[in-house]
Amino acid sequence: MSAMPRIPALISRAGAASAVTAATLAATVLVPGLAPAAQAATAGEQALKVAAAKQGSPYQYGATGPNRFDCSGLTLYSFKKVGKTLPRTAASQYNATRHLSGSSRQTGDLVFFHSGSNVYHVGIYAGNNKIWHAPKPGTSVRLEKIWTNSVWYGRVK
């Protein structure tokens, strides 16, 4: 069913005083992209954009930016830029987040890689089972598919 036949009915019911509101509503029916955003981006989504903007920055153990990063240095830097404080290491960051199930993860949440109870790596969830991270020496910040099921998720408070 097309939205077009409903538009005149919407406008006539709205009356002259609400013509602008009805026109706006009609425009959002015809062009869904014109609908206003439901809410502002979360801190995690904002931090994700910061991390993505660092694509290509070289990995350096212990580095926290702005031009070189290790894994937890990238997450620390990205969240600091949006007003959130995280501890320095991946394991400490895991302990400082609200833990989530994989089915509850959202873009901007942290993805913690672990072996047993030892957290050894962290990245920022980008959706579609991918993360932004600083992988290891000799590489640079990049978007990459999550390569293991040995991950935990955390949301920065």
Side-chain angles (χ1 to χ4, degrees):
M1 180 174 160
S2 171
M4 293 295 276
R6 296 189 325 215
I7 293 171
L10 288 172
I11 294 172
S12 66
R13 275 189 259 150
S18 299
V20 172
T21 302
T24 302
L25 177 59
T28 62
V29 170
L30 290 174
V31 185
L34 292 180
Q39 64 185 125
T42 66
E45 290 166 335
Q46 292 171 13
L48 177 66
K49 290 179 183 177
V50 172
K54 293 300 179 177
Q55 180 176 12
S57 296
Y59 178 96
Q60 181 180 332
Y61 181 79
T64 59
N67 300 312
R68 295 177 177 274
F69 301 92
D70 68 6
C71 67
S72 57
L74 178 65
T75 55
L76 174 84
Y77 176 88
S78 299
F79 277 91
K80 184 177 181 180
K81 283 293 193 182
V82 301
K84 296 290 184 177
T85 303
L86 283 174
R88 176 63 186 93
T89 66
S92 296
Q93 289 177 5
Y94 177 72
N95 291 331
T97 60
R98 183 165 58 91
H99 302 163
L100 309 165
S101 66
S103 62
S104 298
R105 69 186 180 186
Q106 296 176 357
T107 56
D109 287 337
L110 294 179
V111 180
F112 297 95
F113 294 76
H114 66 93
S115 176
S117 62
N118 179 41
V119 172
Y120 64 87
H121 188 65
V122 63
I124 304 177
Y125 188 63
N128 297 319
N129 209 39
K130 294 182 179 180
I131 59 167
W132 279 102
H133 69 142
K136 59 187 177 183
T139 65
S140 58
V141 172
R142 65 186 180 207
L143 180 66
E144 191 167 21
K145 184 179 178 204
I146 297 172
W147 58 89
T148 178
N149 289 325
S150 295
V151 294
W152 292 324
Y153 299 93
R155 186 162 298 147
V156 176
K157 301 171 190 173

